[in-house]
Amino acid sequence: MARALGWVGVFGAALAMVLVLGLDVTLGGRAHRRGGELRGATISEYVYTPGSWAFVVAVLMLAGTSAALLYGLIRAGRVRSLSAGSVLMTLWIVGLVAVVAFPKHNWVTGPSLSGTVHRYATLVAFVALPIAVLLIANGRDAAARAARWLALIGIGWLTVLFGAIAVGIVTGQRWWMLIPLGLVERGIAGFEVAALIALGVWLARSEGAVLAIPSRAS
């Protein structure tokens, strides 16, 4: 069961990534008009395009397969059911669902509850997953090492985002104009989903429940 859930996580996350890449290919990541402002498309903005169904399916599929992977990790003894790693993965899953439930907002038109929830849900999800992977993937095999390295690269992309936010706060500039936000968001999401896939491979290739109480805080 645990191995099967590992493969569910692998193929589900990969398919979700393919759906988003398909949107980039078909819509070209082109800027589009929304609310009277010409904006470069971030991933979340696809919800306002003809490809909205693919965006919603991709995010919910990623949330569902992440939940299956977490359950598999718990069954295999790779992570405690109540631990830092499991809580952070749960925050990732909840954040993904919230991203769909509360669509991205055009802040030029004024404040929005949906936009605020969407923004914080995105940040929570992006921060929670790589830390969860670092805590959980404590094996020495290639898949576990790959998961950790991919998570670290995802955190590197995150520093670009938070660096822009910090500069924006200090200078009063619009932080999202300081960086190519669409590219940075894709860098974060791409490496984090890749880390999730590697985590699924690690579980799928496991030889069974390896430990009941992890030796490190996961």
Side-chain angles (χ1 to χ4, degrees), residues 167-206:
V167 171
I169 291 173
V170 172
T171 64
Q173 301 179 67
R174 295 180 177 179
W175 65 266
W176 58 91
M177 301 294 291
L178 300 175
I179 54 174
L181 184 56
L183 174 62
V184 172
E185 186 183 67
R186 283 164 176 79
I188 297 168
F191 281 101
E192 291 193 1
V193 174
L196 192 70
I197 292 171
L199 191 65
V201 171
W202 179 57
L203 175 61
R205 290 181 174 177
S206 66

Side-chain angles (χ1 to χ4, degrees), residues 123-150:
L123 290 176
V124 167
F126 278 166
V127 170
L129 181 65
I131 299 175
V133 171
L134 290 174
L135 291 173
I136 295 170
N138 52 17
R140 297 181 179 179
D141 62 326
R145 290 197 303 271
R148 293 193 296 269
W149 275 109
L150 290 165

Side-chain angles (χ1 to χ4, degrees), residues 3 6 42 51 56 58-59 73 92 102 111-112 121 130 136 139 179 186-187 196:
R3 289 183 182 181
T42 60
V56 171
V59 175
L73 289 163
W92 155 257
F102 298 92
S112 161
I136 295 170
I179 54 174
R186 283 164 176 79
L196 192 70

